[in-house]
Amino acid sequence: MSSPAHVPTAPTGSLVGRLLVRGMLAGLIAGLFAFAVAYVAGEPSVNASIAVEEAAAKAEHAAAPAHDHGANGAATQADSEEEIVSRDLQSTAGLATGVLVYGVALGGIASLAFCFVLGRVGRFTPKATAALVAAAAFTTVYLVPFLKYPATPPAVGNPDTIGKRTTLFFLMILLSVLLGIAAVVAGRRLAPRLGNWNATVVAGLGFVAAVGIACAFLPGNEDAVAATFPAAVLWEFRLATLGIQAALWVAFGLAFGLLAERLLAPRAQAAPGVTAAAPAA
């Protein structure tokens, strides 16, 4: 039987700040992995979707009446001349900047969630808790919303409804996160009566049922993808976006778990009845 010194407790005081810094560092590391996946697996489908859009625009221009060719041609030329950021820069430095900032921000938020759940959801080590937080974040923040509103390549769908589609997507994220929190709270309250395993199963099934009801009542995105858009390119893009998010959260869980374990290990290894010294930053 393990001694109380080995039971993780919620970090307090300066430890929260130190874990926040380590979470942001882990998010930066995870962002590097996500960028590699995005560049290798995601950019080809993005380029293919842009090529489809350009081909459709050329076909539309060619089919326009002769008296409209001059105006349309001038507009097309003006659009190409007004390009501020080249596609090469977008797919390299621009992509890297966006993914890294995204990773650092999510890493910081996830580390705060880690501080809250450590020692409160079970007798898990910091590494195991980091893995659980990463898995829960991936599921609630991306996977569940993705199942209802899957990602679409750029320049696809009706541009007039992009605001509505964005609102619905973030609404689905909010509902998913709130339902996930409710499932955790329900599992903890049911555990004394049903046991940890049965309570976890019941709470998980409740989460799935609630998500299913939410998906059934929220409107769909019927115009998110044009009917003429190649299905293979769309499928490749969606698989790539799913892989990017999976790589981000797996890398974060591993990196942050290691960093948090090294920070919190002195407290866990302290002898019973002896106050552990605060670890160095």
Side-chain angles (χ1 to χ4, degrees), residues 11-278:
T12 58
S14 63
L15 276 179
V16 174
R18 295 176 184 178
L19 286 169
L20 175 61
V21 173
R22 283 159 175 77
M24 296 173 69
L25 176 60
L28 179 64
I29 297 171
L32 292 173
F33 281 91
F35 166 70
V37 175
Y39 185 78
V40 174
E43 281 303 304
S45 58
V46 172
N47 291 332
S49 66
I50 293 176
V52 171
E53 180 203 14
E54 291 176 348
K58 290 180 181 179
E60 182 180 357
H61 174 65
H67 63 273
D68 290 339
H69 282 178
N72 291 340
T76 303
Q77 182 178 2
D79 291 341
S80 63
E81 291 177 352
E82 291 176 359
E83 185 181 35
I84 299 176
V85 182
S86 67
R87 175 66 190 137
D88 290 338
L89 187 59
Q90 292 176 13
S91 62
T92 53
L95 177 63
T97 301
V99 173
L100 292 179
V101 171
Y102 177 77
V104 170
L106 288 186
I109 296 173
S111 67
L112 295 178
F114 170 89
C115 293
F116 179 78
V117 302
L118 183 65
R120 291 189 173 98
V121 296
R123 301 165 64 91
F124 297 108
T125 65
K127 283 184 180 180
T129 304
L132 290 174
V133 169
F138 170 72
T139 301
T140 57
V141 176
Y142 189 79
L143 181 59
V144 170
F146 176 87
L147 295 176
K148 175 62 178 179
Y149 302 115
T152 55
V156 173
N158 185 358
D160 296 334
T161 62
I162 189 171
K164 173 187 174 182
R165 288 186 274 130
T166 301
T167 301
L168 288 174
F169 182 74
F170 281 103
L171 176 60
M172 191 65 208
I173 292 177
L174 177 62
L175 287 175
S176 178
V177 171
L178 292 177
L179 291 174
I181 295 174
V184 172
V185 173
R188 289 190 61 194
R189 293 185 176 180
L190 292 174
R193 287 182 292 171
L194 303 180
N196 290 334
W197 175 258
N198 291 334
T200 301
V201 171
V202 171
L205 291 176
F207 173 75
V208 172
V211 166
I213 294 174
C215 289
F217 280 93
L218 286 174
N221 282 339
E222 293 80 7
D223 62 347
V225 180
T228 57
F229 192 82
V233 176
L234 179 62
W235 180 248
E236 179 184 352
F237 177 83
R238 288 178 172 173
L239 284 181
T241 58
L242 193 60
I244 293 167
Q245 291 291 328
L248 176 73
W249 287 111
V250 168
F252 172 80
L254 294 175
F256 183 67
L258 179 61
L259 294 173
E261 186 88 5
R262 293 182 62 183
L263 176 65
L264 300 174
R267 295 201 314 165
Q269 294 173 357
V274 177
T275 304

